[in-house]
Amino acid sequence: MRKVTAGLFCSVDGVVEDPFLWQFDSFDEELGAGMGEMMGRIDTGLLGRVGYQQWAEYWPNAERDADFAGFINPLPKYVASRTLTGDLKWENSRLIEGPLEDFVAALKNGDGGEIGVFSSISLVRQLLFAGLLDTLMLIVHPVIAGSGRRLFNDGDPLTRLVLQESQQTSKGNMILSYGLRGD
């Protein structure tokens, strides 16, 4: 069975929105290596509508960050949206038809490598609480963002996790991978 993995940059105070506003100089070799390793396992991507629209505008024409552009552009991408219709313009992108949970469950039962969830807080939340997310990787940067959208909200269901892996990088980032605790 294929695994579904989501990786989010996170501040110490839990902000996951717009990390480019607060990451500053915290990228280091270990973080780059970890991201490269994750990219090497992923052969299918899932995006929400907002993330798709932002990334479809940027990545097809990206000159900098060529390594990630070379990864994400040819990758088969499935987009969860209630408002987009028709064919999508970004290379190898298709809309998810039917309920998200059914689509992802079927995708997990197919052949291939890992399925990556990209640029969508709501999609990560939905898949986690539906029990379909195998790994939630939080890359915690040593900064307090102060404001911005957080991954979890008051009123979310109690959800027990297990730490799958952890690493501290030379610039003080913590790479923490969690899975659902199977009680």
Side-chain angles (χ1 to χ4, degrees), residues 8-19 21-22 121 138-141 143-151:
L8 296 169
F9 297 114
C10 183
S11 66
V12 171
D13 58 339
V15 174
V16 292
E17 179 182 43
D18 296 332
L21 295 174
W22 41 262
I121 298 167
L138 298 175
I139 302 165
V140 182
H141 292 284
V143 65
I144 296 171
S147 66
R149 192 166 163 208
R150 289 163 171 76
L151 181 57

Side-chain angles (χ1 to χ4, degrees), residues 46-53 78-81 118-120 122-123:
L46 298 172
L47 293 111
R49 178 192 55 82
V50 172
Y52 167 79
Q53 289 177 317
Y78 296 97
V79 180
S81 174
F118 299 104
S119 189
S120 177
S122 60
L123 197 57

Side-chain angles (χ1 to χ4, degrees), residues 161-175:
L161 305 174
V162 60
L163 183 64
Q164 297 170 331
E165 196 173 333
S166 66
Q167 176 188 359
Q168 180 178 341
T169 72
S170 59
K171 289 196 174 181
N173 300 297
M174 291 301 299
I175 304 171

Side-chain angles (χ1 to χ4, degrees):
M1 179 175 279
R2 299 171 77 185
K3 291 184 177 184
V4 178
T5 300
L8 296 169
F9 297 114
C10 183
S11 66
V12 171
D13 58 339
V15 174
V16 292
E17 179 182 43
D18 296 332
F20 61 89
L21 295 174
W22 41 262
Q23 284 175 319
F24 306 116
D25 60 351
S26 61
F27 269 82
D28 49 35
E29 285 187 36
E30 301 98 326
L31 188 53
M35 291 178 66
E37 180 186 321
M38 186 173 83
M39 288 171 16
R41 295 189 311 263
I42 292 173
D43 67 4
T44 305
L46 298 172
L47 293 111
R49 178 192 55 82
V50 172
Y52 167 79
Q53 289 177 317
Q54 290 172 344
W55 284 25
E57 220 174 274
Y58 179 78
W59 287 112
N61 304 308
E63 292 181 22
R64 62 177 237 237
D65 302 320
D67 290 342
F68 191 75
F71 161 74
I72 197 69
N73 286 325
L75 188 76
K77 296 170 283 294
Y78 296 97
V79 180
S81 174
R82 293 181 182 97
T83 57
L84 294 176
T85 59
D87 293 333
L88 301 177
K89 65 178 182 174
W90 190 12
E91 173 186 1
N92 294 320
S93 297
R94 290 186 278 171
L95 284 172
I96 294 173
E97 295 183 19
L100 173 69
E101 290 87 354
D102 295 344
F103 179 85
V104 173
L107 203 57
K108 285 181 72 157
N109 284 317
D111 294 329
E114 284 188 26
I115 302 159
V117 183
F118 299 104
S119 189
S120 177
I121 298 167
S122 60
L123 197 57
V124 170
R125 290 173 46 80
Q126 190 172 350
L127 294 174
L128 176 69
F129 294 134
L132 292 167
L133 191 66
D134 298 289
T135 300
L136 172 61
M137 180 189 306
L138 298 175
I139 302 165
V140 182
H141 292 284
V143 65
I144 296 171
S147 66
R149 192 166 163 208
R150 289 163 171 76
L151 181 57
F152 301 111
N153 302 313
D154 287 345
D156 283 344
L158 177 65
T159 306
R160 298 190 66 186
L161 305 174
V162 60
L163 183 64
Q164 297 170 331
E165 196 173 333
S166 66
Q167 176 188 359
Q168 180 178 341
T169 72
S170 59
K171 289 196 174 181
N173 300 297
M174 291 301 299
I175 304 171
L176 305 168
S177 294
Y178 293 98
L180 291 172
R181 184 170 154 183
D183 289 337

